[in-house]
Amino acid sequence: DTYGMTSPIINTQPRTRTFREKKRLVQSGVVGTIAVVVACFSVAAQWSVQRYGDDNYTYDESDAAATRHRTHSDSCLELTLLSLLGPALCLGVQILIAAVHRLHSPEDIDGSAINKQDTDAFRHKQANLQNTLEQTCYAALVYLISSVVLRRYRLMIPTASCMFVLGRFLFYRGLSDGINYSRIIGFALTFLPTNVLLLTNVVVLLADIVL
């Protein structure tokens, strides 16, 4: 130093969060996401009732009622299959990302069958692909069940699909940075809507049985 003074050492490294701080971060992200999911599903359910409120799960033997019942069921199944496009697209993108990485990585191009030690970068993409596959299979099962049970509230299905796509995008965006809001909200937007949809199926079925 020119003036004989020692310059302070500035730590430019980001401070590592404690476990308690990480836990609070996760909790705040999940609580906020729950509020968003409930609000989106409430709007979708109300809109569905306005459009499909006459579909009350009963089967009338009259020709007109039977035709209307089949029409509602067919349209709900079509809407569900279209809603599956979102999760399928997310899964396809993750498969493509992993394949492109192998193509451009000298260490990973031989594949896991020959190269027993994948790089950290590929394991990172493989873990995200595995998570996306699990979430997609779970969502597909719940969506298909909902196409039968939730005909009156069918717009909840594409709403869940839209949140799924947004959730996977946010999750992938924040996956490499440890615990952060993008990753937390992304996972919650993927997982929570499917669970809420499944719970709604159970409630509707129980109410139909009891009432």
Side-chain angles (χ1 to χ4, degrees), residues 108-184:
D108 298 312
I109 195 170
D110 289 328
S112 300
I114 297 176
N115 183 16
K116 301 300 182 182
Q117 188 66 31
D118 291 322
T119 62
D120 290 339
F122 181 75
R123 283 199 296 269
H124 168 84
K125 291 175 174 57
Q126 194 173 40
N128 193 33
L129 171 59
Q130 178 68 27
N131 183 267
T132 304
L133 175 61
E134 294 168 356
Q135 298 286 355
T136 300
C137 291
Y138 178 38
L141 288 174
V142 175
Y143 292 2
L144 289 173
I145 294 171
S146 301
S147 68
V148 177
V149 180
L150 302 182
R151 291 194 301 273
R152 191 180 184 190
Y153 309 101
R154 68 192 66 181
L155 293 181
M156 293 178 68
I157 303 172
T159 301
S161 178
C162 291
M163 288 189 282
F164 186 102
V165 174
L166 178 59
R168 293 321 296 173
F169 171 76
L170 293 174
F171 182 80
Y172 183 77
R173 185 169 178 264
L175 190 60
S176 59
D177 297 329
I179 293 297
N180 57 79
Y181 273 123
S182 180
R183 181 180 178 182
I184 295 167

Side-chain angles (χ1 to χ4, degrees), residues 8-122:
I9 299 176
I10 300 176
N11 184 11
T12 59
Q13 297 294 326
R15 186 176 69 85
T16 303
R17 292 189 180 96
T18 64
F19 173 75
R20 182 170 295 181
E21 289 174 333
K22 292 179 180 179
K23 188 175 180 180
R24 282 201 296 265
L25 190 68
V26 172
Q27 290 173 339
S28 62
V30 170
V31 169
T33 306
I34 289 175
V36 172
V37 170
V38 171
C40 290
F41 274 148
S42 297
V43 173
Q46 291 176 0
W47 193 14
S48 295
V49 170
Q50 292 175 2
R51 294 192 60 183
Y52 309 106
D54 58 335
D55 194 348
N56 57 0
Y57 314 108
T58 59
Y59 185 82
D60 195 322
E61 293 298 333
S62 66
D63 292 339
T67 301
R68 184 171 65 252
H69 179 89
R70 285 194 299 270
T71 302
H72 283 178
S73 298
D74 292 344
S75 65
C76 187
L77 180 59
E78 291 174 1
L79 183 63
T80 300
L81 294 177
L82 288 174
S83 299
L84 287 173
L85 179 63
L89 180 63
C90 292
L91 181 59
V93 168
Q94 291 302 321
I95 294 173
L96 180 62
I97 289 174
V100 169
H101 174 85
R102 276 204 186 278
L103 181 63
H104 292 88
S105 173
E107 296 83 4
D108 298 312
I109 195 170
D110 289 328
S112 300
I114 297 176
N115 183 16
K116 301 300 182 182
Q117 188 66 31
D118 291 322
T119 62
D120 290 339
F122 181 75

